[in-house]
Amino acid sequence: MKKLVILLLFISIWVIVSGFVCCQRPAVVNIGAIFTFDSVIGKAAKPAMEAALSDVNNDSRIRTKLKLLMGDVNSSVFLGTIDAFQLVEKEVVAIIGPQVSGIAHMISSIANGLQVPLISYAATDPTLSALQFPFFVRTTQSDSYQMAAMADLVDFFRWKEVIVVGVDDDYGRNGIAALEEELNKKMAKISYKLMLCNPLDESEVMDKLNKSKLLGSRVYVVHVNPDPKLTIFTVAQKLQMMTDTYTWLATDWLSATLDSFPPTKKTSLGFLQGVVGLRQHTPESSQKRAFMSRWKRMQQKGSASSELNTYGLQAYDTVWLVAYAIDRLLDEHKNITFSPNSKILHVNISGLQIEKLKVFTGGNDLLDIVLQTNFTGLSGQIQFNQDRNVFSGGYDVLNIDGVSIRTVGYWSNAAGFSLSPPEARKGKQDINCCRDQRLHNITWPGGKSKTPRGWVIAVDERPLRIGVPYRASFTDFVTEVPGSHKIKGYCIDVFVKALELVPYHVPYMFHPFGNGRSNPKYDALVKMVAADVFDAAVGDIAIVTNRTKIVDFSQPYASTGLVIVAPILNSKSSAWVFLKPFSTEMWCVTAASFVVIAVVIWVLEHRVNDHFRGPPRRQLVTMFLFSFSTLFKTNKETTVSPLGKLVMVVWLFLLMVITASYTASLTSILTIQQLSSPITGIESLIASQWPIGYQTGSFAYDYLSENLYIARSRLVPLGSPEEYESALRRGPSDGGVAAIVDELPYVDLFLSSQKDFGIIGQPFTRGGWGFAFQRDSPLAVDLSTAVLQLSENGDLQKIRNKWLTHADCSSQVNEIDENHLSLKSFWGLFLICGIACFISLVVFFCNIICQYRRFTPEDGEEAVEDEIQSPRPQRSVCSTSLKKLIDFADRKEAEIKEMIKPKSIDIKRQGNPSSDGHTISSA
């Protein structure tokens, strides 16, 4: 029994101790760091991480101390893999680094298998964000953001082609692929890639840069690893490629290199003058300034051998990120455990001891905590997006001017380029923020301030093959000069002028398409562009649906559309053409309205306006002169009474509408012509069975037959203006055509010398002429922009005037009916005017009658007494009253008021006798 009690006690103590040990928070946690010590990034990252480790372990908020195990990989994937295995064998819970993208690819696979988060502060390869590497986290910017900034920089200066210099590894290839994708969004491209070995070999760099001088582009984008020797630019200077004809752009490798230089070495950077580069933006803060001062002290003590760069700041923040995450993990789970990997338990490889590699059981939890961490470090806000990259803080745009490195602006993904840092614009973005792209003045290679054009004529560049129609008719638009192989015409001049506005050199050569004896088929010309026989087609090429499916067109430089041409009769010779705008009924009602207005205004103004008083003849003349002079706004008389003013307002509005309509109708009649054929438009032309002419080679044939379903037997091809005239004059009864359907510019040119034909109706299609290019050609967009500039500055019209002024192209549209303006179009206005006159007269006469009744109460009593004393006939009494009313109405308003005033006073006195009596007695 005693032995059993002792055994149970021992077991209980063992269980308690074991549980306490399992739940006990570890005092020290191992983390690893893999990078190249003796490199531009490593020289800044190593002391920065050591400083961060010291700060973490001395911070009372972090209850678990960290032990940092560093491994030098010397930029070798092989050594990096070995170091990674050695670190995970020591049960590290996270690995910081590596800085090389190629090593990161390899170690990420190890991190995935052992579930150890891999947190890099320098590997910028965009493909590391793939789902293939779930345990890879990045505290630096991905090159996908940097290449977006670089593409925006190229687009900002309107360059369309660049040459890329890069290293032929994962970092270089994937970064350049991201740049190419971003440039395509800006309709720009990489014309050539100079891929170099890593590390850089000076002889190889010299050979490839020398060969690039034969190319046309002069904009170089350099994307290599940080290089203290600045090999690319040293060789470029030897090859005299740092002159004002060249442009050099660099990714953030250059800023990291230059920031690492001591101040004494920065004074010898004159050969870099004009280079523009990017630097990852880190906001200014008191925390950052304090660390910069601390870094100076570290240099004095010998613990830091180089200057601090952006990657050093990010390495410092990465250690703190890991510390925060581990501390929170231990708060939640109390302990860190590892378990054997079931996939390698049965692997027996002699000497490698693979079975010692264990899986970090809390790896997923630690990864989730890392991705949820959000704090402000030396490099700015540390917060991760869905791709496990830190949110982009933007880039500084740097310009090397002599021995100084200037910040000429800032770039952010949300606002583009600006003169203020991204944090200053935070929360202030509006819809116009991306339109206001600005940078400070930049000094370019050679000390020039003018932006380089970015290209020269290449030594072996193939000219653009441009097909042009070799027209036999309407040669003012485009044709080949016989015997000279020179192409000329309106379309050619527009193309050449637009090409001058393209911000890069485009060598070209015209190739005539056609035999010159008949007009070529334009659909065939466009198909040859799509088939790569020609690079482009320039001419009077209509932009129609079936063509846009196989090629890209520029912005239309000429508006066009299909119109109908038919014989006409000139109607301008009539001496009474000025009567045609209004119908007879309309003329009669308008004339009657003038008379009515004259009478109404006279009635309303006669009592109050001296202009409308006097002898009857004078009043009659004034009345009608006033009415008709309102048509020309020359009447000297003015209305005084409120009712007269009301009538005049309504009348003048009616008159304004009528005169405007008359002017428009008369203008139309004087500028159009009436047809001598029954064709009124495209509908009547389709309904008839008459033959229809069209220009040989035009898309009108397919449009009429396939879209309007006109029988092909009715369509007659015509090849020249002379054939147009002959066919129209002969007419359908004599082997000719009833009408011709063609594009408006050709018709304008034809009608410039023909007065017996005209355009019927409106254009029944809308379109334009444009330049055709192969699919996705950047020239299509650039020529479109150039055409718009030509239109805005007036050059497009000048070219048109040069070639087509003799055409007198007014594009007048002819109508077949008389288009008289009838009363039904205006009866509403006349009704409103009549109602206004009627209401005014009713109010006027009611006022007269009221005044008359107030004026004649005693006269009425006297009339009754006279009638009793001497009775008279009723008719005589009525005529006498009417005469008195007319005489009363003929008096002036002021006179009537004076007469009514004393009578009103007498009436009031008679109505209040006590008041009068009191007044007398008082007297």
Side-chain angles (χ1 to χ4, degrees):
M1 185 67 181
K2 185 178 181 180
K3 291 182 179 180
L4 181 61
V5 172
I6 294 173
L7 179 62
L8 291 174
L9 181 62
F10 177 77
I11 294 174
S12 300
I13 294 172
W14 182 83
V15 170
I16 292 172
V17 171
S18 299
F20 177 76
V21 171
C22 291
C23 298
Q24 186 179 9
R25 186 186 187 99
V28 178
V29 175
N30 292 337
I31 61 173
I34 298 176
F35 60 100
T36 301
F37 292 178
D38 189 22
S39 65
V40 170
I41 295 177
K43 288 179 179 180
K46 187 174 183 294
M49 285 192 287
E50 290 172 345
L53 183 68
S54 174
D55 293 343
V56 167
N57 289 335
N58 291 325
D59 194 323
S60 59
R61 296 172 299 172
I62 307 297
R63 291 181 291 168
T64 303
K65 306 305 178 183
L66 299 183
K67 183 178 180 180
L68 182 62
L69 306 176
M70 296 186 182
D72 186 3
V73 300
N74 198 23
S75 300
S76 169
V77 176
F78 176 70
L79 294 178
T81 305
I82 293 176
D83 283 345
F85 279 118
Q86 291 176 344
L87 288 175
V88 296
E89 187 178 351
K90 297 176 181 178
E91 296 186 346
V92 296
V93 299
I95 299 176
I96 298 175
Q99 67 192 54
V100 179
S101 297
I103 301 176
H105 277 277
M106 178 62 71
I107 300 180
S108 291
S109 300
I110 299 174
N112 293 347
L114 301 178
Q115 298 185 9
V116 176
L118 181 63
I119 307 169
S120 177
Y121 55 86
T124 58
D125 182 357
T127 61
L128 288 169
S129 298
L131 297 177
Q132 178 185 356
F133 309 112
F135 279 84
F136 180 83
V137 181
R138 183 162 25 212
T139 56
T140 187
Q141 301 296 324
S142 168
D143 275 340
S144 59
Y145 292 102
Q146 179 168 211
M147 294 312 175
M150 185 60 70
D152 277 357
L153 191 63
V154 172
D155 184 63
F156 181 83
F157 294 108
R158 299 186 61 197
W159 297 313
K160 292 300 180 181
E161 293 185 5
V162 300
I163 296 174
V164 175
V165 182
V167 288
D168 195 7
D169 58 12
D170 290 333
Y171 162 75
R173 287 190 300 270
N174 295 328
I176 292 172
L179 175 61
E180 191 166 26
E181 182 179 351
E182 294 296 333
L183 286 174
N184 288 338
K185 296 177 183 178
K186 307 294 183 181
M187 300 305 294
K189 67 177 182 178
I190 298 175
S191 61
Y192 197 74
K193 299 176 183 177
L194 301 179
M195 305 307 292
L196 306 170
C197 294
N198 187 29
L200 299 176
D201 180 70
E202 186 171 332
S203 60
E204 181 193 20
V205 173
M206 182 171 291
D207 179 60
K208 292 194 174 182
L209 283 183
N210 199 35
K211 289 180 179 178
S212 72
K213 295 169 71 174
L214 302 177
L215 305 174
S217 178
R218 284 294 182 265
V219 180
Y220 288 78
V221 178
V222 184
H223 182 60
V224 296
N225 292 307
D227 178 21
K229 297 180 181 179
L230 301 174
T231 307
I232 301 293
F233 298 107
T234 302
V235 173
Q237 185 189 31
K238 294 178 181 178
L239 295 175
Q240 297 182 350
M241 297 176 66
M242 300 300 293
T243 60
D244 57 0
T245 58
Y246 290 85
T247 302
W248 292 92
L249 308 177
T251 54
D252 66 345
W253 72 268
L254 180 61
S255 62
T257 302
L258 297 181
D259 289 343
S260 301
F261 284 171
T264 54
K265 192 173 181 179
K266 292 181 180 180
T267 59
S268 60
L269 300 179
F271 67 98
L272 292 178
Q273 185 179 52
V275 177
V276 177
L278 298 176
R279 176 202 284 148
Q280 295 186 49
H281 178 70
T282 56
E284 293 297 326
S285 64
S286 57
Q287 184 182 2
K288 177 182 173 182
R289 288 190 293 270
F291 188 77
M292 297 289 286
S293 300
R294 178 182 176 186
W295 190 268
K296 296 296 182 183
R297 295 192 296 272
M298 291 168 61
Q299 287 179 310
Q300 294 172 359
K301 295 178 181 179
S303 57
S305 60
S306 76
E307 298 294 324
L308 183 63
N309 56 35
T310 304
Y311 291 105
L313 299 175
Q314 292 169 344
Y316 180 91
D317 290 341
T318 304
V319 174
W320 272 101
L321 169 69
V322 173
Y324 284 135
I326 292 175
D327 198 56
R328 180 179 166 188
L329 176 71
L330 293 175
D331 286 342
E332 296 177 0
H333 300 280
K334 304 301 181 183
N335 202 0
I336 291 176
T337 58
F338 292 84
S339 63
N341 191 332
S342 58
K343 296 180 180 179
I344 60 176
L345 279 177
H346 305 291
V347 176
N348 187 12
I349 302 177
S350 177
L352 291 183
Q353 298 180 345
I354 297 295
E355 68 278 0
K356 291 185 177 181
L357 300 179
K358 297 181 179 180
V359 176
F360 177 30
T361 54
N364 283 304
D365 295 328
L366 181 60
L367 177 65
D368 292 339
I369 293 173
V370 166
L371 295 177
Q372 295 170 13
T373 303
N374 182 3
F375 71 97
T376 301
L378 299 182
S379 60
Q381 194 72 15
I382 306 298
Q383 186 180 6
F384 297 94
N385 58 22
Q386 60 183 2
D387 295 325
R388 305 181 307 283
N389 297 322
V390 70
F391 277 102
S392 175
Y395 284 87
D396 301 340
V397 182
L398 307 179
N399 178 219
I400 302 175
D401 184 7
V403 296
S404 65
I405 302 174
R406 298 187 300 120
T407 300
V408 295
Y410 304 88
W411 178 90
S412 66
N413 200 27
F417 293 107
S418 67
L419 301 181
S420 55
E423 63 270 14
R425 297 174 62 91
K426 189 174 182 181
K428 297 181 180 180
Q429 277 86 4
D430 53 40
I431 59 174
N432 297 318
C433 66
C434 293
R435 300 178 186 176
D436 184 22
Q437 304 284 297
R438 295 183 61 193
L439 291 173
H440 289 295
N441 293 332
I442 293 177
T443 300
W444 299 102
K448 303 292 184 180
S449 58
K450 182 180 179 182
T451 303
R453 65 180 182 177
W455 56 265
V456 295
I457 299 176
V459 175
D460 58 349
E461 189 170 0
R462 177 179 66 83
L464 210 63
R465 301 162 300 174
I466 300 179
V468 294
Y470 189 4
R471 294 191 60 89
S473 62
F474 297 109
T475 56
D476 288 338
F477 293 106
V478 58
T479 193
E480 181 183 25
V481 179
S484 68
H485 302 291
K486 180 180 179 181
I487 308 298
K488 68 173 186 177
Y490 164 69
C491 304
I492 300 301
D493 280 5
V494 173
F495 175 75
V496 173
K497 194 70 175 178
L499 212 56
E500 293 176 1
L501 300 177
V502 174
Y504 51 89
H505 174 64
V506 182
Y508 61 90
M509 182 176 292
F510 289 130
H511 296 272
F513 177 73
N515 54 25
R517 295 185 295 273
S518 62
N519 295 333
K521 293 185 179 296
Y522 282 45
D523 283 341
L525 174 59
V526 172
K527 289 178 181 178
M528 293 182 75
V529 174
D532 198 29
V533 177
F534 296 131
D535 297 307
V538 172
D540 47 339
I541 305 171
I543 303 174
V544 293
T545 304
N546 65 315
R547 296 173 184 172
T548 58
K549 293 178 180 179
I550 58 176
V551 296
D552 287 342
F553 278 94
S554 68
Q555 175 79 14
Y557 62 87
S559 298
T560 182
L562 292 178
V563 294
I564 301 172
V565 182
I568 59 167
L569 289 178
N570 199 334
S571 64
K572 298 178 184 178
S573 57
S574 173
W576 304 100
V577 68
F578 67 90
L579 294 175
K580 290 186 176 182
F582 288 165
S583 63
T584 304
E585 182 183 27
M586 183 66 181
W587 279 116
C588 293
V589 172
T590 303
S593 299
F594 278 96
V595 175
V596 170
I597 288 297
V599 173
V600 171
I601 292 298
W602 179 85
V603 171
L604 297 177
E605 294 291 318
H606 178 69
R607 304 181 69 213
V608 295
N609 196 334
D610 292 334
H611 291 294
F612 293 87
R613 301 186 66 83
R617 180 181 296 179
R618 176 188 170 189
Q619 293 186 50
L620 189 65
V621 171
T622 300
M623 179 173 62
F624 287 105
L625 281 178
F626 175 84
S627 176
F628 285 98
S629 61
T630 56
L631 181 63
F632 311 102
K633 301 179 179 61
T634 59
N635 45 309
K636 298 179 181 179
E637 300 82 2
T638 58
T639 53
V640 176
S641 66
L643 294 175
K645 291 179 179 179
L646 172 65
V647 172
M648 282 302 298
V649 168
V650 178
W651 168 248
L652 289 175
F653 176 75
L654 181 144
L655 205 59
M656 178 191 69
V657 175
I658 291 177
T659 52
S661 302
Y662 175 87
T663 303
S665 181
L666 182 61
T667 302
S668 177
I669 290 173
L670 291 175
T671 54
I672 67 171
Q673 299 165 324
Q674 295 196 5
L675 305 175
S676 61
S677 71
I679 299 172
T680 60
I682 188 61
E683 291 80 7
S684 61
L685 187 62
I686 295 173
S688 70
Q689 295 302 316
W690 291 326
I692 304 170
Y694 70 93
Q695 184 181 172
T696 303
S698 171
F699 77 97
Y701 177 78
D702 290 333
Y703 183 84
L704 293 173
S705 59
E706 297 176 5
N707 293 71
L708 301 183
Y709 306 104
I710 297 176
R712 296 179 184 267
S713 58
R714 293 177 55 193
L715 304 179
V716 180
L718 302 172
S720 66
E722 292 75 17
E723 293 183 21
Y724 281 22
E725 180 183 5
S726 175
L728 287 172
R729 291 193 185 281
R730 285 186 283 119
S733 60
D734 192 21
V737 296
I740 294 174
V741 174
D742 202 355
E743 294 179 76
L744 186 58
Y746 302 121
V747 171
D748 281 338
L749 199 59
F750 170 68
L751 295 180
S752 64
S753 58
Q754 300 293 335
K755 305 302 180 185
D756 297 331
F757 311 108
I759 300 173
I760 300 176
Q762 301 285 344
F764 55 90
T765 66
R766 298 288 181 184
W769 288 347
F771 307 126
F773 297 91
Q774 293 182 8
R775 282 289 191 186
D776 301 323
S777 171
L779 268 177
V781 177
D782 295 336
L783 261 295
S784 296
T785 304
V787 168
L788 290 175
Q789 288 179 303
L790 291 178
S791 177
E792 292 170 358
N793 61 27
D795 287 342
L796 198 60
Q797 186 61 41
K798 291 178 183 177
I799 297 173
R800 180 181 177 87
N801 294 340
K802 172 186 173 183
W803 287 96
L804 307 177
T805 45
H806 60 280
D808 192 22
C809 302
S810 57
S811 302
Q812 300 297 340
V813 178
N814 303 293
E815 301 180 1
I816 45 176
D817 57 2
E818 295 290 341
N819 281 335
H820 290 313
L821 296 174
S822 61
L823 181 61
K824 66 180 180 181
S825 301
F826 301 95
W827 70 267
L829 283 173
F830 283 112
L831 178 62
I832 293 173
C833 187
I835 293 174
C837 293
F838 177 76
I839 293 175
S840 298
L841 290 175
V842 169
V843 173
F844 175 81
F845 284 118
C846 288
N847 185 44
I848 290 292
I849 293 173
C850 290
Q851 288 181 344
Y852 182 72
R853 292 183 62 184
R854 293 170 60 192
F855 176 72
T856 59
E858 294 180 356
D859 293 348
E861 295 175 1
E862 293 176 357
V864 173
E865 293 177 358
D866 291 341
E867 186 175 351
I868 294 173
Q869 295 175 1
S870 55
R872 287 181 292 177
Q874 185 68 27
R875 179 179 296 180
S876 177
V877 174
C878 291
S879 62
T880 301
S881 298
L882 180 61
K883 184 177 180 181
K884 287 184 177 181
L885 178 62
I886 293 174
D887 291 340
F888 178 81
D890 187 54
R891 295 183 180 183
K892 286 187 176 182
E893 181 76 16
E895 184 180 343
I896 294 297
K897 289 182 178 180
E898 289 296 328
M899 297 173 63
I900 293 176
K901 186 175 181 181
K903 289 183 177 289
S904 301
I905 295 174
D906 294 339
I907 292 172
K908 289 181 180 179
R909 288 177 177 176
Q910 292 174 7
N912 192 1
S914 59
S915 175
D916 292 344
H918 176 72
T919 304
I920 293 170
S921 60
S922 299

